[in-house]
Amino acid sequence: MSEQSDQEKTEQPSEKRLREAREKGELPRSRDLSGAVVVLAGVCALISGGQGALEHVQRIYRLGLVYRRDALFSDELPSRVLSLATREAVLLLAPLGLATVLAALAAPILLGGLNFSTQALEPKLERLDPIAGLGRIFAMRGLVELAKSLLKLLLIGGVLVMVLKNWQDDLMGTGLGEVGPGMLRAMSLLGHGALLFGSVLALIGGVDALYQKFDHNKRLRMTRQELKDESKESDGNPELKGRIRQMQYQMARKRMMQELPKADVLITNPSHFAVALRYDEGRMGAPRVIAKGMDELALQIRMVAASHRIPTVEAPPLARALYATTRIDREIPASLYVAVAQVLAYVFQLKQAVSRGEEPPTAPQPDVDPDLMGPYQF
């Protein structure tokens, strides 16, 4: 059953799955790569500071072999020698220690990045199960780790044999001649040998890093059903989302109907579109659409407008252009200023004529660019 489940996990892990794994401290990590970076950093520090390191070593030896006669009869000799030797040892090891510490901190960034997880620190009793431990040892990952250990043993052993064979004369020559040049030569051989070992470890670490990244991605893969369930959980139930959208639409429609009595004019198609405009010269930069609708909603808007005696102007191109270009509670675009201004001027003249008992003016038919009507040109 487990093998079948693994075979079904063919989909790449989602961002949520990767984020949860990171929170648990599950990141691709390569101990071989980290070890190689630390070794190479230490070797580089050793080679670059070889001459200075030799001087510190010489001072430490000199402290143990050279004394003045008066110092031999002084009680402060041991503490003074120990203090000076400690100082020289710190100066000797400080560059090496600093380089290795920085490398140890920087090594995780090369693969999975820095991460701190409190969940990874929590004790897990299942790890103490001996049966499960045997299962992990003989599982595929355990076999891969065994193969890597054997490969490291063969490569490092081969490099060691090559170094001893090719550098035999140089190694034997370090014990001949003067002490200073011999020590310098010995440290040079040690540094280059360590650099060679570090290069081998870097090669192994690079291969292991690729495998760890692949294995981490494989363990986090998901089935198609898991992706569907996660998507449904993240996005929510489609029926619930649809109901929420419907409630939002009804609330917006209710607010629109409440604002409709404040309109100055209603522009209609006459039957398919209805757009209500309001303009307050002191508070608005341009006329604003406070309600609009099509078909059944347009009919309701016309009925409400009629009950509140809002002037209605039949201007089909302008109604379709306003419906297509302007959202509710937004000002009309500059391209419709002239057409709307003609309608508002007509409404003002109409009110003046009604108040004086005169004949009403002729309703305008403003010209509108057909491109402004969008999909409602026809």
Side-chain angles (χ1 to χ4, degrees):
M1 189 69 179
S2 176
E3 294 179 358
Q4 181 67 20
S5 299
D6 290 339
Q7 291 176 0
E8 293 177 355
K9 293 183 177 182
T10 57
E11 306 300 320
Q12 293 296 322
S14 63
E15 290 296 328
K16 181 182 178 183
R17 187 72 170 263
L18 294 173
R19 184 174 62 254
E20 291 177 348
R22 190 177 187 88
E23 291 174 354
K24 295 178 182 178
E26 298 178 2
L27 291 174
R29 289 286 186 253
S30 173
R31 287 176 293 180
D32 294 329
L33 180 62
S34 299
V37 172
V38 171
V39 170
L40 287 174
V43 169
C44 292
L46 182 64
I47 293 177
S48 61
Q51 184 62 41
L54 177 61
E55 294 177 359
H56 291 301
V57 171
Q58 288 176 341
R59 293 193 190 103
I60 293 174
Y61 275 105
R62 190 177 297 113
L63 288 171
L65 298 176
V66 178
Y67 302 100
R68 295 192 306 272
R69 184 177 181 279
D70 57 344
L72 292 173
F73 296 96
S74 173
D75 295 337
E76 299 178 355
L77 177 62
S79 61
R80 185 177 66 83
V81 171
L82 181 60
S83 176
L84 293 175
T86 302
R87 176 177 176 275
E88 294 295 335
V90 170
L91 294 176
L92 170 65
L93 299 176
L96 180 63
L98 180 62
T100 53
V101 168
L102 292 178
L105 294 175
I109 302 178
L110 298 176
L111 191 55
L114 292 175
N115 184 54
F116 179 78
S117 173
T118 56
Q119 297 185 29
L121 300 177
E122 296 177 358
K124 296 182 179 179
L125 298 179
E126 60 269 18
R127 293 180 178 177
L128 301 178
D129 187 357
I131 299 178
L134 290 175
R136 287 193 296 267
I137 292 176
F138 294 102
M140 179 59 67
R141 296 185 66 188
L143 296 177
V144 170
E145 293 296 329
L146 176 61
K148 288 195 302 180
S149 300
L150 294 176
L151 179 62
K152 286 189 288 185
L153 179 62
L154 291 175
L155 289 176
I156 295 177
V159 171
L160 178 61
V161 171
M162 182 183 67
V163 167
L164 293 176
K165 182 177 180 181
N166 294 337
W167 294 358
Q168 182 177 1
D169 295 337
D170 294 331
L171 291 171
M172 297 300 295
T174 57
L176 304 176
E178 298 182 2
V179 176
M183 291 181 62
L184 186 61
R185 181 59 179 167
M187 292 185 67
S188 176
L189 291 174
L190 177 63
H192 286 85
L195 181 61
L196 187 57
F197 283 119
S199 300
V200 175
L201 288 176
L203 176 62
I204 298 174
V207 175
D208 182 62
L210 295 176
Y211 169 76
Q212 294 296 339
K213 194 168 184 179
F214 166 78
D215 183 63
H216 177 73
N217 182 271
K218 181 180 178 182
R219 285 186 284 111
L220 294 181
R221 283 180 183 174
M222 307 170 67
T223 63
R224 293 186 177 181
Q225 185 61 40
E226 287 176 337
L227 279 176
K228 291 180 181 178
D229 294 341
E230 182 180 289
S231 177
K232 185 180 294 184
E233 181 181 351
S234 301
D235 299 338
N237 193 321
E239 296 179 359
L240 180 60
K241 290 176 64 178
R243 187 171 181 180
I244 292 174
R245 284 195 298 267
Q246 183 180 5
M247 292 178 62
Q248 292 174 341
Y249 171 74
Q250 291 176 352
M251 292 174 63
R253 181 170 173 176
K254 183 178 180 180
R255 287 195 301 268
M256 181 182 72
M257 289 300 184
Q258 292 174 348
E259 292 292 321
L260 182 56
K262 301 177 183 179
D264 294 318
V265 63
L266 180 68
I267 303 175
T268 64
N269 192 49
S271 57
H272 293 293
F273 294 90
V275 181
L277 298 179
R278 181 169 183 261
Y279 180 54
D280 187 343
E281 187 176 356
R283 300 173 56 186
M284 300 179 186
R288 181 173 297 177
V289 173
I290 62 172
K292 69 176 184 177
M294 186 171 62
D295 296 332
E296 181 181 350
L297 182 56
L299 176 61
Q300 294 182 15
I301 292 175
R302 289 197 300 273
M303 292 173 62
V304 174
S307 65
H308 289 83
R309 298 182 179 181
I310 297 173
T312 300
V313 177
E314 293 185 5
L318 180 58
R320 292 199 296 268
L322 287 170
Y323 188 90
T325 59
T326 312
R327 297 172 59 185
I328 295 176
D329 202 29
R330 295 291 188 273
E331 294 182 354
I332 65 173
S335 54
L336 294 176
Y337 281 0
V338 175
V340 172
Q342 295 178 26
V343 173
L344 292 177
Y346 163 76
V347 171
F348 177 76
Q349 295 171 3
L350 179 63
K351 290 181 179 180
Q352 292 290 328
V354 171
S355 64
R356 297 172 182 173
E358 301 175 352
E359 289 292 328
T362 304
Q365 292 296 323
D367 293 330
V368 175
D369 185 353
D371 292 336
L372 296 175
M373 303 178 195
Y376 308 112
Q377 292 185 27
F378 306 101

